[in-house]
Amino acid sequence: MEDAAAGHAEDGSRQPDRSRTQRNLMKKTRFAEALLAVTAVATGCATAPVAGVDARTTLTASTETVQALAECPELPSLPTAGCGQITVPRDRADPGKGTIDIGFALVPHTDTSQPGLGTIVPNPGGPGSSTIDLAGQQFAESLEPLLDRRDLLLIDTRGVGRSTPLTCAALDGPTRVFVSLPEQRQLIGECGEQLGDAVSDYTSIAVADDVDAVRATLGLSRLDLLGISYGTYLMATYAQRYPQHVRTVSMAGAYAINVDSVGEVNAVAFRRAVRLVCERTGECNGDRVISDLAALMKRLRKSPEKLDITYDGVKHRVTLDEWQMTSVAGRVYSSRPDTKVELALANAAAAARRGNLTPVRALVRDSLIALADNYSYGAAILSDAQSWAVTCHDYLRDFDYADPVAKRTRQYAAVQAKLISADFAPFSAVAWVTRADYDTGACLRWPNDETAQPPFAPGATMPDVPVLVLSGDLDANTPIESGDAAAAQFPHATHKVIAGAGHTPACTTEGVNEIIKFIRDAKG
C-alpha cells in the first residue's frame, strides 16, 4: 500500500490557494462548533449508566459526530467519508511554539441497522506518507468486508498531506535521488537546519498523541490499529502509550523499536529472496545470481562510471558505483514483488560478468526515475522533510548528536569498521548499510537534538491484546527476522509468513484476508 502514490501535489514554493484555505477553515469551524454541541449532549447523558455498556465496549463514532464532519469533495473515491481537522500543539511540552492542524477522514460503517463494532485506524508507512490521499481508497477497498460494522478512520500524520505539510528547501523535489552518498547526507543535514526549532517536533510519539487526540475528539473507545511498514513502528508506539484504547494491532512488514532493522538481517533476507525467486520461476540459479552480483560489485568498486539521466527536462550526472548499484539491487527486494524486475536484476548481473553493462545501466536509470516520480508529488503525498525528521529523531544511531560532525563521523566509521563484509554478501558491509534508502549515517549532519531517542525503552510494557504480524518471504526491507522481533515486543502475538509476498504482505490477497479475519474474529 505504501508505494502507490497517485496524483500531484502543489509545489511548496507556489503561492497558497486562498480559496481552498478559506474553505478548509470554514469546514474546520463548522466541525468544531457541531462537535461542541454533540459533546454537550453526550456529557449530559453520562450520569446515567447505559445498559450493556462497560469499559471494554468498542464504540464507533456517533451519528451526530459523523453528521458534524464536512463533506470531502477532494475524495471522490470515498463518497461517504466525512472530513475534519483538529488543532494540536506543535510541541506539547512547549505550547508557546504554536500549533498545527491534523486532518482526518472518517468512512462510517454502512450497516446502520446494527450497533457498530469499532474503528480501524491504518497507516501506510513511510514515514512521510499521506494516509488519506495516498492510501485511503486502497484501505477502504481492501478492508471492505469489515466496513459494514466498522468505521475506517484515516489520519494524515503531522507534516504530511492534510496535516500542515512539512517542507524544507534542501529536500524540495526529487534532486536527492540523483546525488552521491556524501551529497545526500549534506542535503539531509541542511534540511534539519532549515527546520529550526521544529526539528524535534515530528516524532512517532507526537504522531501517536495526535492519533489519540483525534480518537478522543470523535468519542471513540478502542481502536483496531493497522500498521504497514513504518506504520508498525507507529502503532507499537501508540499501543505502548495508550494501551487502554487498543483492541487489536495488525502489523504488515513489521520491525521492532530498539532493534537494528537495516543491517545483516536484511542482507540475509536479500539472499533468501533471490534464491526463492529463482527456485519458483525456474529462470535462474540463486547462487549463481549472488555470485554474479558479487563480481559486479567488485568491478564497480574498482571502476565506477558516470551515467547521464534526464528527469523532467533536467540532466543529472550520476555515479554508477558499488553504493549506487547496491541501493538499486536492495530496492528490488524492498517493495512489492515484481518478477520481471527481479529477473532483470539477475540477467543484468549475468551480462555484466560477460562484460556488458548496458542492462545494468538501464536498471539503474529506471530505478532512479521511478524513485524521483515518488518524490515529485510533494508533501501533500510524500514529505521527505517529515520522513527524515522522524528518522533522525527516533531511530538508533552509531554516534552522538552532542558531538561535532567530525567526531560523529569518526564514531560512526569506527562502528562500520567492525562489520564483516562476508555477512553482507554479495555486497560490501559499508555499501549495504549506507544504501540510499536506508543509510545508517544519513543523519550525521543533523542538528543537535537533545530529545532524540526511540519512542520507548527496551523492555517497556506493552498491552496484552491480540496482535498479528505478517512478513513476506521475499521482503529484504522488513524481513521475517524483523517480524519476529516486532512480535516479541508484545506478550502474545501471532507471526505469519506469507509466501511470495514482499514489502508488504498487506499488498497481497492472502495478507489482506489474514488481517480481515484477525480483526473480525479477535476477542476482547
Side-chain angles (χ1 to χ4, degrees):
M1 295 182 184
E2 68 174 346
D3 58 351
H8 292 270
E10 289 188 356
D11 187 292
S13 63
R14 296 178 185 172
Q15 293 299 312
D17 181 341
R18 298 187 184 280
S19 62
R20 181 174 182 178
T21 301
Q22 290 169 349
R23 289 197 304 271
N24 287 340
L25 180 60
M26 291 175 64
K27 291 178 184 178
K28 180 180 172 184
T29 302
R30 187 174 76 181
F31 170 68
E33 292 173 346
L35 190 67
L36 285 174
V38 173
T39 303
V41 172
T43 303
C45 297
T47 55
V50 180
V53 175
D54 61 27
R56 301 300 294 170
T57 298
T58 302
L59 301 177
T60 51
S62 68
T63 300
E64 294 84 0
T65 298
V66 173
Q67 292 176 344
L69 297 171
E71 295 180 355
C72 304
E74 304 93 343
L75 288 175
S77 62
L78 300 174
T80 65
C83 286
Q85 279 185 340
I86 62 171
T87 299
V88 300
R90 181 156 60 88
D91 181 352
R92 288 176 169 85
D94 185 3
K97 291 173 70 174
T99 61
I100 57 175
D101 291 330
I102 303 300
F104 62 90
L106 181 71
V107 181
H109 60 282
T110 57
D111 184 356
T112 58
S113 67
Q114 303 181 75
L117 295 179
T119 303
I120 303 170
V121 178
N123 181 274
S129 301
S130 164
T131 303
I132 300 173
D133 294 286
L134 175 65
Q137 179 181 354
Q138 292 174 315
F139 279 127
E141 291 175 351
S142 298
L143 300 172
E144 189 272 337
L146 294 172
L147 301 187
D148 57 337
R149 303 287 302 280
R150 293 170 175 82
D151 292 350
L152 177 64
L153 177 56
L154 308 168
I155 305 172
D156 274 350
T157 57
R158 57 169 57 202
V160 178
R162 300 170 186 236
S163 296
T164 312
L166 184 69
T167 61
C168 59
L171 298 180
D172 186 20
T175 299
R176 181 175 65 82
V177 171
F178 301 103
V179 302
S180 65
L181 176 62
E183 291 171 313
Q184 175 176 272
R185 290 175 175 175
Q186 180 68 36
L187 291 174
I188 292 169
E190 288 176 5
C191 177
E193 296 291 349
Q194 290 164 1
L195 293 180
D197 69 353
V199 72
S200 61
D201 297 338
Y202 294 83
T203 70
S204 297
I205 283 180
V207 173
D209 291 347
D210 296 340
V211 169
D212 200 64
V214 174
R215 178 207 59 77
T217 297
L218 294 175
L220 307 176
S221 54
R222 294 185 299 149
L223 308 174
D224 289 296
L225 305 175
L226 170 55
I228 313 297
S229 191
Y230 164 73
T232 68
Y233 190 96
L234 172 62
M235 296 315 183
T237 302
Y238 182 91
Q240 198 277 329
R241 291 179 70 76
Y242 300 100
Q244 70 275 27
H245 295 307
V246 179
R247 177 178 177 269
T248 66
V249 184
S250 302
M251 310 170 79
Y255 59 106
I257 293 171
N258 295 302
V259 176
D260 174 26
S261 62
V262 298
E264 179 186 348
V265 66
N266 301 77
V268 170
F270 179 90
R271 295 192 296 271
R272 176 173 60 227
V274 168
R275 292 187 174 106
L276 284 173
V277 166
C278 289
E279 176 184 320
R280 290 167 182 172
T281 64
E283 297 291 328
C284 51
N285 178 283
D287 290 337
R288 179 69 180 188
V289 172
I290 293 169
S291 176
D292 288 344
L293 283 170
L296 173 59
M297 299 306 155
K298 182 178 180 180
R299 172 175 176 168
L300 292 176
R301 278 195 297 273
K302 182 179 179 180
S303 303
E305 63 173 59
K306 297 296 183 180
L307 183 64
D308 288 333
I309 301 178
T310 299
Y311 181 80
D312 200 20
V314 178
K315 180 181 290 187
H316 300 273
R317 189 79 162 167
V318 173
T319 300
L320 176 50
D321 54 8
E322 184 196 13
W323 173 77
Q324 187 68 259
M325 191 63 220
T326 299
S327 299
V328 170
R331 203 173 291 135
V332 170
Y333 287 97
S334 295
S335 58
R336 297 185 187 185
D338 186 330
T339 303
K340 181 179 178 180
V341 176
E342 291 158 354
L343 293 178
L345 174 64
N347 293 332
R353 187 186 280 273
R354 297 190 300 268
N356 179 11
L357 281 180
T358 299
V360 166
R361 297 181 189 110
L363 192 69
V364 171
R365 184 178 288 109
D366 290 346
S367 179
L368 294 183
I369 288 175
L371 196 60
D373 282 341
N374 288 342
Y375 287 109
S376 69
Y377 295 127
I381 296 293
L382 296 168
S383 172
D384 209 13
Q386 194 262 15
S387 176
W388 288 112
V390 173
T391 297
C392 293
H393 185 280
D394 288 5
Y395 290 177
L396 301 173
R397 298 174 302 279
D398 293 322
F399 49 88
D400 191 335
Y401 282 146
D403 294 324
V405 172
K407 185 174 181 180
R408 298 181 194 178
T409 303
R410 290 194 297 271
Q411 292 172 338
Y412 179 75
V415 173
Q416 307 315 300
K418 297 177 183 179
L419 299 176
I420 302 172
S421 277
D423 294 335
F424 298 84
F427 315 99
S428 69
V430 171
W432 183 256
V433 302
T434 64
R435 62 196 190 281
D437 306 321
Y438 307 95
D439 174 23
T440 56
C443 303
L444 278 166
R445 294 182 173 273
W446 197 254
N448 182 20
D449 178 1
E450 296 178 356
T451 70
Q453 61 182 353
F456 55 81
T461 300
M462 301 295 281
D464 191 0
V465 297
V467 176
L468 173 67
V469 177
L470 298 180
S471 298
D473 65 0
L474 299 183
D475 187 1
N477 184 339
T478 53
I480 297 168
E481 294 81 358
S482 293
D484 287 337
Q489 297 174 122
F490 294 87
H492 299 96
T494 299
H495 183 197
K496 295 186 177 182
V497 177
I498 307 298
H503 190 71
T504 74
C507 299
T508 68
T509 299
E510 184 179 353
V512 169
N513 287 340
E514 288 283 356
I515 292 168
I516 289 172
K517 183 178 185 299
F518 170 73
I519 295 174
R520 185 188 61 219
D521 297 346
K523 306 298 182 182

